[in-house]
Amino acid sequence: EAGVVQSPRYKIIEKKQPVAFWCNPISGHNTLYWYLQNLGQGPELLIRYENEEAVDDSQLPKDRFSAERLKGVDSTLKIQPAELGDSAVYLCASSPQSSYNEQFFGPGTRLTVL
Amino acid sequence: RKEVEQDPGPFNVPEGATVAFNCTYSNSASQSFFWYRQDCRKEPKLLMSVYSSGNEDGRFTAQLNRASQYISLLIRDSKLSDSATYLCVVTLGTGGFKTIFGAGTRLFVKA
């Protein structure tokens, strides 16, 4: 069974440019998470989806970050415009439902903003 | 105060040693507890859940102390392959579901 797929794996952009990350969760998983992980820190939740509904986006910086999961399957996270401080690894995870114990993570997208 | 706190380490231990990590959490309403493992430049993966009665999986033992609000992970007979960062994870509530990761404890097992 395929795991969580993310692309691109690496992205280097200049500040003020837009960037988008894509995630395809494990088939049948209704819950999808986007996390941000800085070096030496644990993942921090940006947004959680239940199917196509964003049920927790309280930590998403909405002035520059946006996300969508239109058909309740794959999802896109966008940053516009990117800032130097956005350099981090962006992880996508999924689970069958939010109350399920285990979250399955994708390999992440490593973003460098110059 | 962070909601989930861990000693960042690193813990440097020889093969065969026993090593223990603690993690404290601040919210008494926390309901579920886990340890995840993250290898360098890889994604986190679930190592084990932590139950009130404690649980053991091979060389790994996890304990929960609700009164003192901490969980622990004990690794016996350390292997080189145990070298990784161990993330403590706490889940709050059911209706207001929220997962919080600690910053992780780095472990290096040397030959």
Side-chain angles (χ1 to χ4, degrees), chain A residues 37 42 48 98 103 105-106 110, chain B residues 36 38 41 43 97 99 102:
Chain A
Q37 186 173 26
R48 173 170 63 96
S98 59
Q103 295 182 27
F105 284 82
R110 186 173 298 273
Chain B
Y36 276 69
Q38 187 170 25
R41 292 184 166 265
E43 70 273 20
F97 176 86
T99 301

Side-chain angles (χ1 to χ4, degrees), chain A residues 1-107:
Chain A
E1 180 182 322
V4 176
V5 179
Q6 289 189 247
S7 69
R9 293 292 309 279
Y10 304 91
K11 189 73 177 179
I12 301 174
I13 61 171
E14 293 188 345
K15 63 181 180 182
K16 300 185 181 180
Q17 295 301 305
V19 65
F21 315 125
W22 178 79
C23 172
N24 193 31
I26 293 172
S27 178
H29 282 196
N30 296 326
T31 306
L32 183 146
Y33 313 77
W34 281 104
Y35 289 91
L36 176 155
Q37 186 173 26
N38 287 303
L39 188 64
Q41 300 297 314
E44 299 172 27
L45 181 69
L46 290 172
I47 190 168
R48 173 170 63 96
Y49 281 94
E50 296 290 346
N51 299 303
E52 66 275 7
E53 182 182 1
V55 294
D56 183 359
D57 62 356
S58 57
Q59 301 302 311
L60 188 72
K62 298 181 184 64
D63 57 334
R64 297 184 301 106
F65 286 64
S66 64
E68 59 184 17
R69 192 185 185 199
L70 294 177
K71 297 182 179 179
V73 181
D74 58 343
S75 175
T76 303
L77 177 69
K78 298 178 181 178
I79 308 175
Q80 184 171 12
E83 296 179 352
L84 295 176
D86 296 332
S87 295
V89 176
Y90 291 82
L91 293 162
C92 178
S94 71
S95 64
Q97 56 194 41
S98 59
S99 59
Y100 194 77
N101 281 341
E102 184 173 4
Q103 295 182 27
F104 298 83
F105 284 82

Side-chain angles (χ1 to χ4, degrees), chain A residues 37, chain B residues 6-13 19 21 35-47 59-60 73 75 78-88 103-110:
Chain A
Q37 186 173 26
Chain B
Q6 298 182 248
D7 180 345
F11 286 66
N12 293 289
V13 302
V19 62
F21 310 135
W35 285 100
Y36 276 69
R37 171 190 169 130
Q38 187 170 25
D39 292 305
C40 187
R41 292 184 166 265
K42 299 289 188 180
E43 70 273 20
K45 293 183 179 179
L46 180 67
L47 177 66
R59 298 181 294 107
F60 298 83
L73 177 67
I75 306 175
S78 299
K79 311 292 184 188
L80 294 176
S81 57
D82 294 334
S83 297
T85 296
Y86 291 84
L87 300 166
C88 171
T105 297
R106 296 185 70 186
L107 171 66
F108 293 103
V109 181
K110 52 187 186 298

